[in-house]
Every structure is written in structure tokens, then in C-alpha cells.
Amino acid sequence: MGRATTKGPAAGPAQGTANWSQLVEAVRESGQYTTEAEAERVTRIVLSALGGHVVGDERVELARRLPEEAARVVASQVPATRRLTAAEFVDNVAARIEGATPATARWDVSSVLSVVASMVDNDLVVRVLRQLPRGYALLFGRAELLPAA
């Protein structure tokens, strides 16, 4: 698989300007995948996993701000009955990708979610992260902000 191990995922296209192929290309560049097909497969798997964990207005708004094909992948998922921790989410993605390990799945998830975060406004990313258990911010390429004690 075309994963690099020395560099973190890079930012993708500006908000509201990408179509599906641009999203996949941004993920391909971010994750340093060798083929568009690999980037597309990873993008679909990660977005489908995410779609089950983002609900309500945030899910609707996220779908509205993504390219149409990505929005369908997110919106078509049945809401999860149990919130997964970030580590469980990565393990869930690893189980869906042939040959994936937790480390490569973490790379895959971060490659996709950091591009998604670059496509939507910061307020929406913050609202999505508030729905999810602690630990997801790093997967979106953000610092994990903890409340002051």
C-alpha cells in the first residue's frame, strides 16, 4: 500500500470548492496513496464509518458542505447505537480495510478526516468533535483541547 510514515496528512482543498474527484485527489495527496482507486476506497470507508457517528444538525450540515458523492456516503449510514472511542473507531476502520493495521488505519482515518476538516468551517468541525468522545480531534488534524480544571 502507498502509505508514507514520515509525514503527517496535509490539508486538502478550500471549503466549498471541491467535487468528489477533487476530494479523492486531496486524500490521495494527503495520505500519499499511490493510486486514485486506493484513495477512493479509503475515503468511502472512512466517510461511511464517520456517517454512523455524526448525528443531528451536524450530520446534515456536514453532508451539505461535502461533495455530493461524499454527502451520500455520510448520510446513508444508520446512526451507531454506541459511540466508539477514537481508538475503537480506528480499529473499526482497520477491520474494513484488507491488510490494515491500527497504525495504517490511523493514517487512513487522519488522511480523510483532515481533508474533510479543511473543506468545512472550523465551527462545524468543533460541533462535530463535541458529539464525539475525546480523542477524535487528532484524527481531524486538530489539537485536542481539554477544559480548564
Side-chain angles (χ1 to χ4, degrees):
M1 300 192 113
R3 291 177 183 82
T5 56
T6 59
K7 222 169 111 172
Q15 174 189 342
T17 63
N19 62 33
W20 174 252
S21 63
Q22 290 168 320
L23 169 63
V24 170
E25 178 59 21
V27 169
R28 189 188 69 71
E29 289 176 14
S30 175
Q32 300 179 0
Y33 299 104
T34 55
T35 67
E36 182 178 322
E38 182 180 15
E40 182 170 0
R41 182 174 51 85
V42 166
T43 300
R44 286 184 186 281
I45 290 168
V46 173
L47 289 177
S48 68
L50 180 66
H53 293 283
V54 177
V55 297
D57 292 341
E58 287 74 18
R59 180 173 164 160
V60 170
E61 190 172 339
L62 179 64
R64 193 174 69 231
R65 292 176 185 239
L66 292 174
E68 186 176 341
E69 181 65 21
R72 276 196 296 269
V73 172
V74 169
S76 68
Q77 303 309 306
V78 174
T81 57
R82 182 178 77 83
R83 293 276 184 236
L84 299 178
T85 66
E88 290 171 329
F89 183 84
V90 168
D91 289 344
N92 179 275
V93 169
R96 299 178 188 201
I97 300 174
E98 184 180 335
T101 66
T104 61
R106 192 169 31 259
W107 179 268
D108 294 335
V109 169
S110 293
S111 295
V112 174
L113 295 184
S114 64
V115 169
V116 167
S118 74
M119 296 178 74
V120 301
D121 66 56
N122 187 58
D123 177 62
L124 178 56
V125 174
V126 169
R127 290 184 3 236
V128 166
L129 289 172
R130 284 186 183 141
Q131 281 193 2
L132 301 169
R134 184 177 292 157
Y136 278 81
L138 294 174
L139 298 175
F140 280 85
R142 304 291 171 97
E144 186 77 44
L145 300 177
L146 302 176

PDB file of all heavy atoms in Angstrom, residues 104-129:
ATOM      1  N   THR A 104      -1.804   1.765  10.264  1.00  0.00           N
ATOM      2  CA  THR A 104      -2.143   2.198   8.907  1.00  0.00           C
ATOM      3  C   THR A 104      -3.570   2.732   8.853  1.00  0.00           C
ATOM      4  O   THR A 104      -3.847   3.681   8.120  1.00  0.00           O
ATOM      5  CB  THR A 104      -1.946   1.069   7.870  1.00  0.00           C
ATOM      6  OG1 THR A 104      -2.795  -0.039   8.191  1.00  0.00           O
ATOM      7  CG2 THR A 104      -0.489   0.630   7.805  1.00  0.00           C
ATOM      8  N   ALA A 105      -4.473   2.159   9.650  1.00  0.00           N
ATOM      9  CA  ALA A 105      -5.843   2.663   9.690  1.00  0.00           C
ATOM     10  C   ALA A 105      -5.884   4.057  10.301  1.00  0.00           C
ATOM     11  O   ALA A 105      -6.651   4.909   9.844  1.00  0.00           O
ATOM     12  CB  ALA A 105      -6.741   1.710  10.476  1.00  0.00           C
ATOM     13  N   ARG A 106      -5.062   4.321  11.303  1.00  0.00           N
ATOM     14  CA  ARG A 106      -4.991   5.669  11.886  1.00  0.00           C
ATOM     15  C   ARG A 106      -4.539   6.660  10.816  1.00  0.00           C
ATOM     16  O   ARG A 106      -5.057   7.767  10.713  1.00  0.00           O
ATOM     17  CB  ARG A 106      -4.056   5.664  13.091  1.00  0.00           C
ATOM     18  CG  ARG A 106      -4.118   6.906  13.928  1.00  0.00           C
ATOM     19  CD  ARG A 106      -3.391   6.785  15.268  1.00  0.00           C
ATOM     20  NE  ARG A 106      -2.242   5.897  15.297  1.00  0.00           N
ATOM     21  CZ  ARG A 106      -2.225   4.656  15.788  1.00  0.00           C
ATOM     22  NH1 ARG A 106      -3.318   4.134  16.302  1.00  0.00           N
ATOM     23  NH2 ARG A 106      -1.119   3.934  15.773  1.00  0.00           N
ATOM     24  N   TRP A 107      -3.563   6.258  10.010  1.00  0.00           N
ATOM     25  CA  TRP A 107      -3.100   7.092   8.898  1.00  0.00           C
ATOM     26  C   TRP A 107      -4.244   7.337   7.911  1.00  0.00           C
ATOM     27  O   TRP A 107      -4.471   8.474   7.484  1.00  0.00           O
ATOM     28  CB  TRP A 107      -1.913   6.415   8.201  1.00  0.00           C
ATOM     29  CG  TRP A 107      -1.411   7.202   7.046  1.00  0.00           C
ATOM     30  CD1 TRP A 107      -1.795   7.084   5.745  1.00  0.00           C
ATOM     31  CD2 TRP A 107      -0.448   8.255   7.081  1.00  0.00           C
ATOM     32  NE1 TRP A 107      -1.131   7.992   4.967  1.00  0.00           N
ATOM     33  CE2 TRP A 107      -0.297   8.719   5.765  1.00  0.00           C
ATOM     34  CE3 TRP A 107       0.296   8.836   8.103  1.00  0.00           C
ATOM     35  CZ2 TRP A 107       0.577   9.749   5.443  1.00  0.00           C
ATOM     36  CZ3 TRP A 107       1.164   9.859   7.773  1.00  0.00           C
ATOM     37  CH2 TRP A 107       1.302  10.308   6.462  1.00  0.00           C
ATOM     38  N   ASP A 108      -4.968   6.266   7.557  1.00  0.00           N
ATOM     39  CA  ASP A 108      -6.080   6.382   6.616  1.00  0.00           C
ATOM     40  C   ASP A 108      -7.149   7.334   7.147  1.00  0.00           C
ATOM     41  O   ASP A 108      -7.609   8.225   6.437  1.00  0.00           O
ATOM     42  CB  ASP A 108      -6.705   5.009   6.353  1.00  0.00           C
ATOM     43  CG  ASP A 108      -5.776   4.046   5.636  1.00  0.00           C
ATOM     44  OD1 ASP A 108      -4.861   4.498   4.914  1.00  0.00           O
ATOM     45  OD2 ASP A 108      -5.964   2.824   5.808  1.00  0.00           O
ATOM     46  N   VAL A 109      -7.545   7.125   8.397  1.00  0.00           N
ATOM     47  CA  VAL A 109      -8.583   7.957   9.002  1.00  0.00           C
ATOM     48  C   VAL A 109      -8.132   9.421   9.033  1.00  0.00           C
ATOM     49  O   VAL A 109      -8.878  10.323   8.632  1.00  0.00           O
ATOM     50  CB  VAL A 109      -8.931   7.458  10.421  1.00  0.00           C
ATOM     51  CG1 VAL A 109      -9.803   8.460  11.166  1.00  0.00           C
ATOM     52  CG2 VAL A 109      -9.619   6.095  10.358  1.00  0.00           C
ATOM     53  N   SER A 110      -6.919   9.675   9.468  1.00  0.00           N
ATOM     54  CA  SER A 110      -6.411  11.049   9.536  1.00  0.00           C
ATOM     55  C   SER A 110      -6.286  11.671   8.154  1.00  0.00           C
ATOM     56  O   SER A 110      -6.546  12.868   7.983  1.00  0.00           O
ATOM     57  CB  SER A 110      -5.061  11.090  10.248  1.00  0.00           C
ATOM     58  OG  SER A 110      -5.223  10.756  11.603  1.00  0.00           O
ATOM     59  N   SER A 111      -5.895  10.884   7.183  1.00  0.00           N
ATOM     60  CA  SER A 111      -5.775  11.403   5.813  1.00  0.00           C
ATOM     61  C   SER A 111      -7.120  11.900   5.304  1.00  0.00           C
ATOM     62  O   SER A 111      -7.205  12.969   4.694  1.00  0.00           O
ATOM     63  CB  SER A 111      -5.230  10.317   4.876  1.00  0.00           C
ATOM     64  OG  SER A 111      -3.922   9.961   5.231  1.00  0.00           O
ATOM     65  N   VAL A 112      -8.173  11.146   5.563  1.00  0.00           N
ATOM     66  CA  VAL A 112      -9.506  11.535   5.096  1.00  0.00           C
ATOM     67  C   VAL A 112     -10.084  12.651   5.959  1.00  0.00           C
ATOM     68  O   VAL A 112     -10.546  13.673   5.444  1.00  0.00           O
ATOM     69  CB  VAL A 112     -10.465  10.322   5.070  1.00  0.00           C
ATOM     70  CG1 VAL A 112     -11.890  10.750   4.726  1.00  0.00           C
ATOM     71  CG2 VAL A 112      -9.957   9.268   4.089  1.00  0.00           C
ATOM     72  N   LEU A 113     -10.051  12.479   7.275  1.00  0.00           N
ATOM     73  CA  LEU A 113     -10.717  13.461   8.140  1.00  0.00           C
ATOM     74  C   LEU A 113     -10.023  14.813   8.148  1.00  0.00           C
ATOM     75  O   LEU A 113     -10.688  15.837   8.311  1.00  0.00           O
ATOM     76  CB  LEU A 113     -10.864  12.904   9.554  1.00  0.00           C
ATOM     77  CG  LEU A 113     -11.778  11.679   9.678  1.00  0.00           C
ATOM     78  CD1 LEU A 113     -11.934  11.274  11.133  1.00  0.00           C
ATOM     79  CD2 LEU A 113     -13.130  11.916   9.020  1.00  0.00           C
ATOM     80  N   SER A 114      -8.715  14.855   7.952  1.00  0.00           N
ATOM     81  CA  SER A 114      -8.045  16.158   7.876  1.00  0.00           C
ATOM     82  C   SER A 114      -8.452  16.897   6.605  1.00  0.00           C
ATOM     83  O   SER A 114      -8.615  18.115   6.612  1.00  0.00           O
ATOM     84  CB  SER A 114      -6.525  16.009   7.971  1.00  0.00           C
ATOM     85  OG  SER A 114      -6.017  15.294   6.870  1.00  0.00           O
ATOM     86  N   VAL A 115      -8.669  16.170   5.514  1.00  0.00           N
ATOM     87  CA  VAL A 115      -9.155  16.799   4.285  1.00  0.00           C
ATOM     88  C   VAL A 115     -10.598  17.275   4.490  1.00  0.00           C
ATOM     89  O   VAL A 115     -10.947  18.395   4.120  1.00  0.00           O
ATOM     90  CB  VAL A 115      -9.041  15.838   3.079  1.00  0.00           C
ATOM     91  CG1 VAL A 115      -9.789  16.387   1.865  1.00  0.00           C
ATOM     92  CG2 VAL A 115      -7.570  15.602   2.731  1.00  0.00           C
ATOM     93  N   VAL A 116     -11.432  16.430   5.096  1.00  0.00           N
ATOM     94  CA  VAL A 116     -12.811  16.837   5.386  1.00  0.00           C
ATOM     95  C   VAL A 116     -12.816  18.105   6.238  1.00  0.00           C
ATOM     96  O   VAL A 116     -13.543  19.054   5.951  1.00  0.00           O
ATOM     97  CB  VAL A 116     -13.585  15.697   6.080  1.00  0.00           C
ATOM     98  CG1 VAL A 116     -14.895  16.190   6.677  1.00  0.00           C
ATOM     99  CG2 VAL A 116     -13.836  14.561   5.089  1.00  0.00           C
ATOM    100  N   ALA A 117     -11.981  18.151   7.265  1.00  0.00           N
ATOM    101  CA  ALA A 117     -11.922  19.331   8.138  1.00  0.00           C
ATOM    102  C   ALA A 117     -11.516  20.580   7.360  1.00  0.00           C
ATOM    103  O   ALA A 117     -11.985  21.682   7.661  1.00  0.00           O
ATOM    104  CB  ALA A 117     -10.957  19.089   9.295  1.00  0.00           C
ATOM    105  N   SER A 118     -10.671  20.425   6.358  1.00  0.00           N
ATOM    106  CA  SER A 118     -10.246  21.574   5.566  1.00  0.00           C
ATOM    107  C   SER A 118     -11.341  22.053   4.621  1.00  0.00           C
ATOM    108  O   SER A 118     -11.279  23.167   4.120  1.00  0.00           O
ATOM    109  CB  SER A 118      -8.971  21.249   4.777  1.00  0.00           C
ATOM    110  OG  SER A 118      -9.254  20.405   3.677  1.00  0.00           O
ATOM    111  N   MET A 119     -12.352  21.217   4.392  1.00  0.00           N
ATOM    112  CA  MET A 119     -13.430  21.557   3.460  1.00  0.00           C
ATOM    113  C   MET A 119     -14.619  22.237   4.136  1.00  0.00           C
ATOM    114  O   MET A 119     -15.485  22.769   3.446  1.00  0.00           O
ATOM    115  CB  MET A 119     -13.918  20.295   2.755  1.00  0.00           C
ATOM    116  CG  MET A 119     -12.865  19.657   1.886  1.00  0.00           C
ATOM    117  SD  MET A 119     -13.458  18.148   1.118  1.00  0.00           S
ATOM    118  CE  MET A 119     -14.535  18.861  -0.119  1.00  0.00           C
ATOM    119  N   VAL A 120     -14.685  22.168   5.445  1.00  0.00           N
ATOM    120  CA  VAL A 120     -15.813  22.761   6.173  1.00  0.00           C
ATOM    121  C   VAL A 120     -15.277  23.809   7.133  1.00  0.00           C
ATOM    122  O   VAL A 120     -14.093  23.827   7.438  1.00  0.00           O
ATOM    123  CB  VAL A 120     -16.630  21.681   6.925  1.00  0.00           C
ATOM    124  CG1 VAL A 120     -17.169  20.643   5.956  1.00  0.00           C
ATOM    125  CG2 VAL A 120     -15.820  21.012   8.008  1.00  0.00           C
ATOM    126  N   ASP A 121     -16.162  24.660   7.611  1.00  0.00           N
ATOM    127  CA  ASP A 121     -15.670  25.714   8.501  1.00  0.00           C
ATOM    128  C   ASP A 121     -15.327  25.164   9.882  1.00  0.00           C
ATOM    129  O   ASP A 121     -15.809  24.104  10.289  1.00  0.00           O
ATOM    130  CB  ASP A 121     -16.648  26.884   8.588  1.00  0.00           C
ATOM    131  CG  ASP A 121     -17.972  26.534   9.239  1.00  0.00           C
ATOM    132  OD1 ASP A 121     -17.961  26.042  10.380  1.00  0.00           O
ATOM    133  OD2 ASP A 121     -19.011  26.762   8.601  1.00  0.00           O
ATOM    134  N   ASN A 122     -14.479  25.878  10.574  1.00  0.00           N
ATOM    135  CA  ASN A 122     -13.986  25.456  11.883  1.00  0.00           C
ATOM    136  C   ASN A 122     -15.120  25.249  12.879  1.00  0.00           C
ATOM    137  O   ASN A 122     -15.074  24.323  13.689  1.00  0.00           O
ATOM    138  CB  ASN A 122     -12.980  26.475  12.417  1.00  0.00           C
ATOM    139  CG  ASN A 122     -12.331  25.995  13.691  1.00  0.00           C
ATOM    140  OD1 ASN A 122     -11.715  24.944  13.715  1.00  0.00           O
ATOM    141  ND2 ASN A 122     -12.488  26.765  14.759  1.00  0.00           N
ATOM    142  N   ASP A 123     -16.146  26.090  12.828  1.00  0.00           N
ATOM    143  CA  ASP A 123     -17.272  25.954  13.753  1.00  0.00           C
ATOM    144  C   ASP A 123     -17.928  24.584  13.616  1.00  0.00           C
ATOM    145  O   ASP A 123     -18.255  23.943  14.615  1.00  0.00           O
ATOM    146  CB  ASP A 123     -18.299  27.064  13.500  1.00  0.00           C
ATOM    147  CG  ASP A 123     -19.524  26.922  14.381  1.00  0.00           C
ATOM    148  OD1 ASP A 123     -19.378  26.998  15.630  1.00  0.00           O
ATOM    149  OD2 ASP A 123     -20.628  26.704  13.838  1.00  0.00           O
ATOM    150  N   LEU A 124     -18.113  24.116  12.392  1.00  0.00           N
ATOM    151  CA  LEU A 124     -18.725  22.809  12.185  1.00  0.00           C
ATOM    152  C   LEU A 124     -17.817  21.697  12.701  1.00  0.00           C
ATOM    153  O   LEU A 124     -18.289  20.758  13.341  1.00  0.00           O
ATOM    154  CB  LEU A 124     -19.051  22.584  10.704  1.00  0.00           C
ATOM    155  CG  LEU A 124     -19.665  21.224  10.373  1.00  0.00           C
ATOM    156  CD1 LEU A 124     -20.936  20.959  11.181  1.00  0.00           C
ATOM    157  CD2 LEU A 124     -19.939  21.130   8.877  1.00  0.00           C
ATOM    158  N   VAL A 125     -16.527  21.799  12.455  1.00  0.00           N
ATOM    159  CA  VAL A 125     -15.594  20.791  12.967  1.00  0.00           C
ATOM    160  C   VAL A 125     -15.684  20.730  14.489  1.00  0.00           C
ATOM    161  O   VAL A 125     -15.754  19.650  15.071  1.00  0.00           O
ATOM    162  CB  VAL A 125     -14.147  21.071  12.503  1.00  0.00           C
ATOM    163  CG1 VAL A 125     -13.170  20.108  13.165  1.00  0.00           C
ATOM    164  CG2 VAL A 125     -14.033  20.978  10.983  1.00  0.00           C
ATOM    165  N   VAL A 126     -15.716  21.876  15.141  1.00  0.00           N
ATOM    166  CA  VAL A 126     -15.817  21.921  16.602  1.00  0.00           C
ATOM    167  C   VAL A 126     -17.119  21.276  17.059  1.00  0.00           C
ATOM    168  O   VAL A 126     -17.134  20.490  18.010  1.00  0.00           O
ATOM    169  CB  VAL A 126     -15.690  23.373  17.118  1.00  0.00           C
ATOM    170  CG1 VAL A 126     -16.064  23.485  18.594  1.00  0.00           C
ATOM    171  CG2 VAL A 126     -14.281  23.901  16.871  1.00  0.00           C
ATOM    172  N   ARG A 127     -18.223  21.564  16.393  1.00  0.00           N
ATOM    173  CA  ARG A 127     -19.513  20.980  16.768  1.00  0.00           C
ATOM    174  C   ARG A 127     -19.518  19.466  16.564  1.00  0.00           C
ATOM    175  O   ARG A 127     -20.056  18.723  17.394  1.00  0.00           O
ATOM    176  CB  ARG A 127     -20.645  21.655  16.005  1.00  0.00           C
ATOM    177  CG  ARG A 127     -20.847  23.082  16.480  1.00  0.00           C
ATOM    178  CD  ARG A 127     -22.014  23.839  15.854  1.00  0.00           C
ATOM    179  NE  ARG A 127     -22.834  23.108  14.936  1.00  0.00           N
ATOM    180  CZ  ARG A 127     -23.057  23.512  13.669  1.00  0.00           C
ATOM    181  NH1 ARG A 127     -22.516  24.593  13.193  1.00  0.00           N
ATOM    182  NH2 ARG A 127     -23.844  22.798  12.898  1.00  0.00           N
ATOM    183  N   VAL A 128     -18.919  18.998  15.479  1.00  0.00           N
ATOM    184  CA  VAL A 128     -18.815  17.554  15.245  1.00  0.00           C
ATOM    185  C   VAL A 128     -17.978  16.922  16.351  1.00  0.00           C
ATOM    186  O   VAL A 128     -18.350  15.886  16.918  1.00  0.00           O
ATOM    187  CB  VAL A 128     -18.220  17.257  13.850  1.00  0.00           C
ATOM    188  CG1 VAL A 128     -17.779  15.807  13.725  1.00  0.00           C
ATOM    189  CG2 VAL A 128     -19.227  17.621  12.758  1.00  0.00           C
ATOM    190  N   LEU A 129     -16.848  17.535  16.671  1.00  0.00           N
ATOM    191  CA  LEU A 129     -15.974  16.983  17.708  1.00  0.00           C
ATOM    192  C   LEU A 129     -16.656  16.947  19.071  1.00  0.00           C
ATOM    193  O   LEU A 129     -16.389  16.050  19.871  1.00  0.00           O
ATOM    194  CB  LEU A 129     -14.665  17.765  17.781  1.00  0.00           C
ATOM    195  CG  LEU A 129     -13.727  17.543  16.591  1.00  0.00           C
ATOM    196  CD1 LEU A 129     -12.546  18.507  16.655  1.00  0.00           C
ATOM    197  CD2 LEU A 129     -13.261  16.099  16.521  1.00  0.00           C
TER     198      LEU A 129
END
